[in-house]
Amino acid sequence: MSKTVQIIDPQTGKQTDLPLREPTLGAPAIEIAKLPRELGYWTYDPGFGATASCQSDITYIDGDKGILLYRGYPIDQLAEKSNFMEVAYLLLYGDLPSQREFECFDREVRQHTMVHEAVRYFLEGFHYDAHPMAMLMGVVGSLAGFYHDSLDMFNPADRNLSAIRMIAKMPTIAALAYRRSIGWPAVYPKNSLDFSERLLDMMFSVPSEPYEINPVAAKALNLLFILHADHEQNASTSTVRLVGSTGANPYACVAAGIGALWGPAHGGANEAVLKMLDEIGHVDRVPEFIARAKDKDDPFRLMGFGHRVYKNYDPRAAIIRSMCHEVLNDLGIDDPMLDLAMELERIALEDEYFIERKLYPNVDFYSGIIYKALNIPVNMFTVMFTIARTAGWVAHWLEQHETPDARIGRPRQVYTGHDTRDYVPMDQR
Ligand code: ACO
């Protein structure tokens, strides 16, 4: 017999048995759908801190233990042994690919890296100093206009093609947006290169001289993309799913996800970390900024610190932290910003305020320093995150369309406005 939880309303004495939804890992969820009907209450959970919005087989996080699994595989193993294309396959289709499956998938992605020439002209329409996230959001939304022949969301082949296109084209669009912002000519994707190399080539090569891809940079990007590929029902993925629940096309869903990721409380934090480190400027000023972060009257927060789910340590941050030293070493870069970041981390981790609230460095604390070492401009940091997270977004979007009991996402509210009142004509107000 399936387990239930009994809820008794002490006001009315009414009671109801609510079914428990059992997970493979983690805490079960109380199914509350019949609560309003049976007891007459909504549930109130701003920020969805206690709400499971869906059932998913893709990613598991244990925030207390600092565990992150993609389809059951620990993130540290994937970071060490896999590559971004293989991880994308794993997220989309549920299992690690065989050699043949990998080759087919990788070939398919490579075949879809080009964008319509009109996309370049579309980008020309943006002001030269437009934020690349604005360009990315606009262009990705516009892709639906190029592929109306394959937007039948009831057709699995169309859905799969849309997912592949999105993963393949995102780096091309990102690089075009970057080059538009610095006035460089477009570079077409070279499909002989692998995913990270291709992106580096599209961003940094110039027609006037040969460009040699730095293997350290390609390896670092590959790792960052693996770590950022998915993170269960975070704000942007939940946005993709919410838009997806309306039956909207995948390009509209992902464009909305890009908008959510852009926010400084989410993916925009990597950009905010660098700006913050720039503002702090010197290790001597770290205590002043720590004090500001603790001051409730000051809106300043330590960017790259804290996480809604991880209350121990962000396992991605631990991997990035050691990679950060390795990359700077290999590239022969002595960045005082890294010393500053380490001092900030050291002081914060010893401070009662941060200990009490379980505030640890998150994935974005170190990623910005690596991007900076790779010559990626600060306003492209969240774009890099977007390229990686696209794999997770489309995996969730595909899963959502394969869920039989999927419904449109439509939360309720606790209304605190006026009671009913009569309209008063303007001359009598
Ligand atoms: N600096 C200082 N204080 C903080 C910070 C911080 N970075 N983060 C949380 N706190 C404090 C809050 O003021 C609050 O204190 P209180 O209990 O005295 O009121 C307490 O810690 C809990 O914070 P909440 O805001 O309730 O935590 P929530 O889970 O809602 O927020 C978030 C998580 C948004 C990540 C938050 O920690 C934050 O703003 N961090 C900085 C931005 C950042 O790095 N975002 C990236 C997240 S990772 C990602 O998206 C990939």
Side-chain angles (χ1 to χ4, degrees):
M1 213 177 78
S2 56
K3 290 185 196 153
T4 57
V5 167
Q6 191 172 63
I7 308 278
I8 302 171
D9 180 356
Q11 266 56 253
T12 61
K14 277 191 196 167
Q15 65 179 61
T16 184
D17 289 327
L18 299 176
L20 276 186
R21 190 164 282 234
E22 295 285 352
T24 335
L25 294 170
I30 303 170
E31 289 188 36
I32 53 167
K34 66 176 185 173
L35 199 63
R37 199 174 56 246
E38 305 239 325
L39 299 187
Y41 296 115
W42 301 122
T43 54
Y44 182 63
D45 182 21
F48 309 115
T51 298
S53 62
C54 63
Q55 188 172 310
S56 177
D57 296 351
I58 302 174
T59 291
Y60 174 72
I61 302 173
D62 184 326
D64 292 327
K65 295 193 185 129
I67 291 173
L68 169 60
L69 311 175
Y70 292 165
R71 300 283 190 182
Y73 296 100
I75 192 66
D76 52 325
Q77 290 185 26
L78 293 170
E80 191 194 331
K81 297 176 183 159
S82 188
N83 61 67
F84 179 64
M85 267 302 94
E86 187 180 53
V87 165
Y89 182 99
L90 174 69
L91 291 170
L92 260 64
Y93 305 120
D95 282 306
L96 287 171
S98 64
Q99 183 70 32
R100 201 176 153 272
E101 285 166 335
F102 179 78
E103 282 166 12
C104 287
F105 176 69
D106 189 45
R107 193 176 325 117
E108 221 184 335
V109 172
R110 287 175 202 250
Q111 274 166 3
H112 288 282
T113 53
M114 297 271 286
V115 290
H116 195 288
E117 276 299 284
V119 167
R120 278 179 55 199
Y121 305 128
F122 185 16
L123 281 166
E124 294 291 315
F126 281 91
H127 200 252
Y128 75 96
D129 62 356
H131 197 289
M133 284 298 277
M135 298 195 220
L136 206 60
M137 209 173 152
V139 169
V140 169
S142 81
L143 289 183
F146 293 95
Y147 299 115
H148 16 224
D149 57 332
S150 50
L151 284 182
D152 178 0
M153 293 309 106
F154 296 105
N155 179 345
D158 276 12
R159 295 201 298 264
N160 188 58
L161 180 58
S162 303
I164 299 266
R165 278 188 174 136
M166 211 94 63
I167 293 171
K169 292 182 199 309
M170 200 62 86
T172 312
I173 300 166
L176 283 172
Y178 169 58
R179 296 179 79 96
R180 158 79 186 121
S181 70
I182 54 169
W184 283 8
V187 166
Y188 292 101
K190 291 192 184 65
N191 290 346
S192 57
L193 299 174
D194 79 15
F195 194 86
S196 307
E197 294 170 342
R198 191 162 59 238
L199 174 63
L200 287 167
D201 182 71
M202 285 190 291
M203 282 182 77
F204 298 120
S205 67
V206 284
S208 44
E209 51 190 75
Y211 174 70
E212 215 171 289
I213 291 156
N214 185 330
V216 175
K219 187 178 160 208
L221 275 190
N222 182 57
L223 182 66
L224 284 165
F225 289 163
I226 291 174
L227 299 179
H228 281 103
D230 193 41
H231 214 227
E232 53 118 302
Q233 309 309 321
N234 58 87
S236 57
T237 305
S238 297
T239 303
V240 170
R241 277 188 179 260
L242 187 60
V243 181
S245 78
T246 69
N249 71 72
Y251 304 101
C253 299
V254 169
I258 295 173
L261 191 73
W262 194 358
H266 190 13
N270 53 15
E271 184 173 337
V273 169
L274 258 258
K275 285 185 179 150
M276 174 189 75
L277 293 175
D278 244 353
E279 197 188 340
I280 298 175
H282 194 274
V283 282
D284 292 351
R285 297 187 66 205
V286 168
E288 177 197 328
F289 280 82
I290 297 268
R292 281 187 60 194
K294 289 156 48 175
D295 181 356
K296 290 286 158 216
D297 298 325
D298 189 329
F300 175 78
R301 279 187 167 201
L302 273 197
M303 286 294 127
F305 266 76
H307 197 275
R308 170 59 62 82
V309 181
Y310 293 118
K311 301 299 177 196
N312 178 337
Y313 199 89
D314 182 338
R316 302 164 303 171
I319 299 167
I320 288 192
R321 187 181 198 272
S322 70
M323 198 213 359
C324 191
H325 289 279
E326 204 183 305
V327 170
L328 266 62
N329 236 353
D330 288 352
L331 296 176
I333 295 173
D334 182 17
D335 189 348
M337 213 165 247
L338 184 61
D339 299 334
L340 185 54
M342 283 173 58
E343 180 63 0
L344 191 66
E345 183 187 33
R346 189 186 66 77
I347 297 188
L349 293 181
E350 285 172 0
D351 192 296
E352 219 22 66
Y353 173 94
F354 292 88
I355 296 169
E356 237 173 53
R357 290 168 181 76
K358 301 190 172 176
L359 299 170
Y360 298 93
N362 58 47
V363 67
D364 287 322
F365 190 67
Y366 282 101
S367 62
I369 298 170
I370 300 176
Y371 286 137
K372 182 169 174 268
L374 303 183
N375 280 330
I376 290 166
V378 174
N379 65 0
M380 284 292 288
F381 288 4
T382 315
V383 172
M384 307 308 276
F385 193 163
T386 306
I387 292 171
R389 187 53 59 86
T390 300
W393 289 336
V394 295
H396 282 271
W397 179 80
L398 287 176
E399 182 181 65
Q400 167 177 50
H401 281 80
E402 283 150 18
T403 307
D405 61 352
R407 301 173 73 197
I408 185 168
R410 200 326 185 168
R412 301 304 299 247
Q413 62 171 7
V414 176
Y415 174 70
T416 51
H418 277 284
D419 199 347
T420 311
R421 49 182 175 165
D422 289 324
Y423 180 84
V424 181
M426 202 175 275
D427 60 355
Q428 291 166 36
R429 282 173 220 163

